[in-house]
Every structure is written in structure tokens, then in C-alpha cells.
Amino acid sequence: MREGLGVRKLATICAGAAVALAVAGSAQAFDGFSFEAPGAGAALQTRLKAASLTQAAQDQGTTDIQEIFAAARADYARLIGALYDEGYYGPVISIRVNGREAAEIAALNIPTRLDSVAITVIPGPQFHFSRAEIDPVAAKTVLPEGYRAGQIASSGVIVKAATAAVEGWRDDGHAKARVAAQSLTAQHRDATLDARITLDPGPVLTFGKMQMQGYERMRPERIAAIAGFPAGKRYSPERLDEVRTRLRRTGIFSSVSLTEDEAIGPGNTLDTTLAVVEEKPRRFGFGAELSTTEGLNLSGYWLHRNLLGGGERLRFDAEVTGIGGTNGAADYSLGARLDRPATFTPDTSAYLETLLEKTSGDDYDETSFRLGFGLDHIFNPRLTGSAGVAYGWSKVTDASGQTFFRQIALPLTATWDNRDSATDATRGYYGKLELTPFYGLSDTGSGARLSGDFRAYRALDAEARFVLAGRAQIGGVFGPSLEDTPRDYLFYSGGGGTVRGQPFESLGVNVLNGGTLRSGGARFLGFSGELRSGVTKSIGLVAFADAGYIGLSDYTSGEWHSGAGIGLRYKTGIGPIRLDIAGPVSGSTRDGAQIYLGIGQAF
């Protein structure tokens, strides 16, 4: 006996029939239910019961006869699909409602009383491929491992092989590649399946025009500049993904849809249609973080996504920190930044920013101002870079009097980020390296500031309930003497961003003014490690240890301190709420337990 099966038919069967199942939570399950699969192994029985809507209705206590009957009728296709996906092409399925086969009961003549539902599945033999061919195949196509002679003849593998082959041709520029013919023949005598699929790659296409619709405030020429549509280039799905990504990352659009035309245009070109929906242009937000020594930190921002109709992004940030902190005075900052996407290239944006700050520390008070402009460039989804020019001015008041610093800086930044989440990473790496050469004006020294922040995350189990997280930080100022270095270029250790359990910026150096004046150091090292464990889907516990080093001019003769503690995490849609309790472990800056409260993991 021979039986022909089409790929599309297999895909449809595998998908199953969609049935709406209303659940009466307080009802009791119907009596007389049985599900038997003689000859099926434990794994196959589990798979079949998971596919059965009738089994689900029994488990959930459904008693409505119409719902149960609809589930029983749908189970024929669902069970066949599950069996075909496991390579069983000669099953016998019986679903009897009150002793009658459900398929033979008319939908308008269902029983008014439900006494029993009995499902019996005899899977028969498991089929293997006698032949598994697909042709022609593009050079870089990777077919599923299971699609070859001798392997289990899973219908899902057949569908995956056909999909992979079509996508292989599309990746090679053949946008209209398709399955031209398929021959799938089941030989029940020896439980084998002969599978042969023929593809039609179609011609190599190049991108034609991009039509645009849906924009309101955004100018179409700026949409085109941001999208960077590759007109005239060889077709590639990856290039279309880049266009979508560029438009989405602006934050201007709530929806971005790029659709290929059905018909091939003149000269083997392919036009596309871009449909966008714009977000509301304005947005604001706020944040808060609390520490027993640093006090309460409050921050807020106001954002305009599309200031001039060309995607210009204007953002104002305000922050008040140290409210109720141990140093007795709060710090203030107010900043503004204007970004213009698609400057010079679709992946390059220009920025103009300014920042005014007033800080009050244990050792000095500082008022500072910075104005800068530059370019940000996205090299790929993981690697970004930035280069700019900035002017900085600051007035420092300490025990020795007032000191003014002025400098021209060239900030350079490179960031690598392949974490699976920016706020609650379980896998991947993050690295940020900043190099800022600066030229001092008047009495300010000249040199360079270097800082690095490197993080790694590893899940210890498949569900990522247990995660190891590590962080290493490094910093250094090279060139000027300590007294000629702008104070905000120097490094401290202690607090939530470096060493929890130690007071904020408690570790520095005491060399200025004959050793009587404390300041930040010119060298910094920091290390942090965490073991994160999930107690429930929403609640997690963390054990951590941090260490920090501050040196005057090298990485060996300075001072270390450390802290350790435990933390509680409560996951929300915007990231976990973090509560950490830490105490000092070593160093001369210990000062009792510290408590930290914020949003997002510590790193």
C-alpha cells in the first residue's frame, strides 16, 4: 500500500486545528474519561496527551458538552499531526463519545448527556526515510540534521528542510524561490518514507524602489535617509532587517512593516512598501534609588522624539542625589542632548550635549559645566562607537581654597554588548572602553583618562534560574600631576557602583596640601561577583562580593577595600527591583552595614 503526502498538507496537519476552549474553573471534570495508547512509549504518550484538547478539558474540569464535543472532533487532526511529527504514518485513532465515534456524530445532533469519552491511539510502526532529497540547494544552505536516509521520517523535519532550502536561495539573492514540486510516499510494508522536494530558485533580484506610507510628522526624505534602503543592491533578507532595525531604534515609530512586492519588476528588480506608525512625540520618565549612606537619588527626563520632523531627538535630564546622605548636602545636575540620526551614513548620528552639575563631597565642593558635540556610529548590532569634542570648566572649593580647571577633551568610546538583556542578563558579555585625551588650559594639566567596564554572565542551567555574573573595572589618568587633574577625572571606590558595603566614595588618596587634603586617585581597579538564583518566576536571591582599589600613580602600592552581602530581586516589566544589604569585609573605610534599593541588577 502506498500513500502520497504533500509538504503543505503535512505542515497544516502539524499546526493542527484551532479550537476555542472556555474553561469553567469551578466545575468538576466529566466522568468516564480514558486515554489509551497501546504500544506507545512514555515519551510518545506524553506528546499525544499534550496535543489533545479533550485531555486538556478533562484536566481543567470542563463540563460543557459542546466544548468537550468540539475538542473531541478537533483531536483527530491534532493527534495525527503529533504522530506524523514523530514519524508514525499508519496510526489508528478512535475517539468515542458515549460509545459512538465522534467523527460520525453530526455537529447539530450532539448528545445532551455526556457519559463517557474514550480516546484510543494505536500509533503503528515508526517510519524512517528511505530517501530524503531536495534539489537544487544553494551553496550555503544548512539542512536539518534529521533530513537524510535512515533517520526518523518526522513531518516537521520535512517542513524545516523545505523552509531552510527556500531561505538558502533567498539569502543568495533569489527572493522568489519556492517549492516547485514535492513527492512524499509512505511505504507501509517496510515503514519507510520516500521524500523528494524540487525547488524553483527563480532569478537573482536587485532592490528596486521603496514606497512609504503611514508617516505624519516625519519628513519622507528623512525616513529614506534613516532607512538606508539598498536600492540597486543584490537582494538580501539581511539588508531588509537592517532597514527595519534602523527605523525602530530611532524610537519614533511604534510599528515598522517592510513588505516585498509579489511581482518582479522590470530588469529583475524587487520593490518594497514601507508602512510606519508614529509614536507620540513626547515622553517623560523618572527614577529613584536609595542607599543608607548615599541617601535618596531622584532623576527624571523629558523627551521629544521628532523635534524638527527629521527624527531629531531632544532630551532633558535632571537629577538630585544624596538627599539625606551622610555628607549632609545634595548634588544637582541638569543636562540636555540633541541627537540627529542618519548624519553622513544611515548608521551614524550626530549629537550636541551640555551638562551643568553641582556636587558636594566630604572633601570638596564642585560646580562644573560641559559642552560637547560628536558622532555615534553603529558598526553592527553588538558593536558601537563614539567620538567627540568637549569643553569642560569646573570650580573646586576645598580646604586649600578655590581651584579652576578648564580643558578641551576628545572623548572616544567603544562598546560591545551581546547580553540577552540589558537590565537582567543571564548570558553574554558586555565591554565598554573609554579613552579621553585632554588638553589643559591655563593651569590645568594635559594627558589622557582611560576607563573600562567589562561584564560576563553565565546561566548554570537551561532555565537560567542560577546565573553567575562577574564584573571587572579599570581606570587611570596619565600625564598630569594629581593637583593639576580635573577632580571629576579622578577615581574613588565605595558605594553601589563599585564596592557595596563600603560608604560612597570612601576610598581615595590623601596627598594634596601636604597630605591633609583627600581626593580621588589616578588609578582604579574594581571587581564584583554575583550568584543569582531564582526562587520563583518573580522572586530571586543574590549573594555577592565586591572589591576596589585606588592608587596614586600605579596599580600596586595603593589601598584595597571590599564588601559582601545578599540581595533580593523582584522581577517587573521594566527590570528587577533590587534590594541589597552589604557590609564591609576588609579595608580602612568600613562603616557598618549598607542598604541599596533600585531598579535593575547592580550590573
Side-chain angles (χ1 to χ4, degrees):
M1 178 179 177
R2 298 172 68 85
E3 181 181 353
L5 300 173
V7 170
R8 293 177 181 172
K9 181 180 179 181
L10 285 175
T12 303
I13 292 174
C14 291
V19 176
L21 182 60
V23 178
S26 61
Q28 298 298 315
F30 52 88
D31 297 326
F33 176 79
S34 65
F35 193 120
E36 298 178 351
L44 181 58
Q45 289 195 40
T46 300
R47 173 75 187 275
L48 292 171
K49 289 182 178 181
S52 170
L53 292 176
T54 313
Q55 178 71 62
Q58 163 71 8
D59 294 341
Q60 297 172 10
T62 302
T63 59
D64 185 278
I65 295 176
Q66 291 185 345
E67 293 176 3
I68 296 169
F69 180 71
R73 290 286 294 264
D75 270 353
Y76 289 103
R78 293 179 65 88
L79 293 171
I80 288 176
L83 289 163
Y84 281 11
D85 195 39
E86 296 291 337
Y88 295 91
Y89 292 96
V92 176
I93 298 175
S94 174
I95 304 176
R96 304 183 72 84
V97 177
N98 291 350
R100 296 176 59 193
E101 199 67 39
E104 298 175 357
I105 301 175
L108 298 179
N109 192 31
I110 64 174
T112 58
R113 174 185 174 87
L114 185 65
D115 296 320
S116 65
V117 176
I119 301 177
T120 303
V121 180
I122 302 174
Q126 189 174 45
F127 283 56
H128 292 73
F129 286 116
S130 60
R131 181 184 301 180
E133 296 179 353
I134 187 164
D135 188 69
V137 176
K140 296 182 179 180
T141 301
V142 178
L143 295 175
E145 184 68 23
Y147 189 71
R148 66 172 187 265
Q151 296 295 308
I152 295 173
S154 164
S155 63
V157 169
I158 298 172
V159 174
K160 289 178 182 178
T163 301
V166 170
E167 291 302 317
W169 281 114
R170 283 173 55 81
D171 291 340
D172 196 43
H174 299 257
K176 297 303 180 183
R178 63 184 183 89
V179 175
Q182 59 270 333
S183 173
L184 295 119
T185 306
Q187 182 63 50
H188 291 262
R189 182 180 305 170
D190 54 6
T192 59
L193 185 71
D194 183 300
R196 284 174 285 183
I197 302 173
T198 303
L199 300 178
D200 176 14
V204 173
L205 302 183
T206 58
F207 287 110
K209 300 177 182 179
M210 182 180 73
Q211 306 295 329
M212 293 178 286
Q213 60 186 37
Y215 54 88
E216 298 176 5
R217 295 171 291 271
M218 192 74 177
R219 301 195 304 273
E221 66 272 15
R222 286 295 295 155
I223 295 179
I226 294 170
F229 185 75
K233 301 289 183 66
R234 183 170 178 146
Y235 173 85
S236 168
E238 185 177 354
R239 291 182 183 272
L240 291 181
D241 289 340
E242 290 175 353
V243 171
R244 297 184 185 99
T245 299
R246 289 171 183 144
L247 292 166
R248 287 170 180 154
R249 72 188 177 208
T250 63
I252 299 170
F253 308 106
S254 61
S255 174
V256 175
S257 174
L258 196 60
T259 307
E260 303 171 12
D261 283 5
E262 290 292 335
I264 297 175
N268 286 339
T269 59
L270 183 65
D271 294 342
T272 61
T273 299
L274 172 66
V276 297
V277 177
E278 295 184 11
E279 285 272 17
K280 294 181 179 179
R282 297 170 184 84
R283 181 181 178 183
F284 68 91
F286 64 91
E289 188 166 348
L290 178 65
S291 167
T292 50
T293 57
E294 299 169 43
L296 177 63
N297 300 338
L298 298 176
S299 61
Y301 72 88
W302 180 89
L303 170 70
H304 197 298
R305 307 175 194 270
N306 186 18
L307 185 65
L308 303 175
E312 299 84 2
R313 183 184 183 97
L314 176 63
R315 174 168 172 151
F316 292 97
D317 285 272
E319 186 174 27
V320 182
T321 62
I323 303 173
T326 55
N327 66 2
D331 300 335
Y332 306 89
S333 69
L334 178 63
R337 177 170 170 132
L338 177 64
D339 289 90
R340 182 183 186 271
T343 302
F344 303 125
T345 78
D347 296 314
T348 305
S349 61
Y351 69 85
L352 174 66
E353 63 179 1
T354 184
L355 178 65
L356 179 64
E357 291 184 299
K358 184 181 183 301
T359 59
S360 299
D362 292 335
D363 310 307
Y364 68 90
D365 295 335
E366 181 179 24
T367 301
S368 63
F369 169 78
R370 186 174 75 242
L371 177 66
F373 65 91
L375 299 172
D376 294 328
H377 184 75
I378 299 175
F379 295 96
N380 58 52
R382 301 300 184 191
L383 179 62
T384 60
S386 177
V389 178
Y391 169 77
W393 174 92
S394 62
K395 180 182 72 173
V396 174
T397 303
D398 54 29
S400 65
Q402 289 187 346
T403 307
F404 292 89
F405 296 94
R406 293 186 299 152
Q407 69 277 349
I408 302 294
L410 303 173
L412 306 171
T413 304
T415 304
W416 169 266
D417 189 355
N418 72 343
R419 296 172 295 177
D420 56 353
S421 170
T423 58
D424 192 12
T426 62
R427 295 176 177 84
Y429 302 92
Y430 171 89
K432 184 175 183 179
L433 191 64
E434 297 179 306
L435 175 63
T436 306
F438 59 93
Y439 177 75
L441 305 175
S442 299
D443 296 329
T444 305
S446 299
R449 186 183 193 270
L450 177 68
S451 66
D453 186 356
F454 308 98
R455 311 173 190 181
Y457 308 86
R458 181 177 181 181
L460 301 181
D461 60 309
E463 293 78 21
R465 286 189 59 197
F466 298 92
V467 177
L468 281 177
R471 183 184 192 184
Q473 300 178 81
I474 187 172
V477 178
F478 306 91
S481 62
L482 198 68
E483 52 269 355
D484 294 336
T485 303
R487 291 294 183 265
D488 57 352
Y489 279 21
L490 299 176
F491 299 92
Y492 288 91
S493 182
T498 51
V499 179
R500 289 162 287 182
Q502 298 285 358
F504 178 65
E505 293 189 350
S506 56
L507 183 59
V509 297
N510 295 281
V511 296
L512 297 181
N513 200 30
T516 62
L517 184 60
R518 180 176 169 276
S519 73
R523 301 292 188 272
F524 164 68
L525 294 173
F527 299 96
S528 297
E530 291 190 349
L531 174 60
R532 304 170 183 172
S533 59
V535 179
T536 68
K537 290 184 178 181
S538 299
I539 299 175
L541 296 176
V542 176
F544 59 85
D546 303 332
Y549 167 91
I550 296 294
L552 177 61
S553 58
D554 57 44
Y555 293 100
T556 59
S557 59
E559 184 178 352
W560 286 88
H561 67 170
S562 61
I566 58 174
L568 179 68
R569 303 291 184 266
Y570 181 78
K571 294 187 178 181
T572 69
I574 58 175
I577 296 175
R578 167 172 45 91
L579 173 62
D580 287 337
I581 303 175
V585 174
S586 67
S588 61
T589 60
R590 61 183 66 193
D591 191 32
Q594 315 288 321
I595 299 176
Y596 307 89
L597 178 65
I599 296 178
Q601 296 286 3
F603 61 88

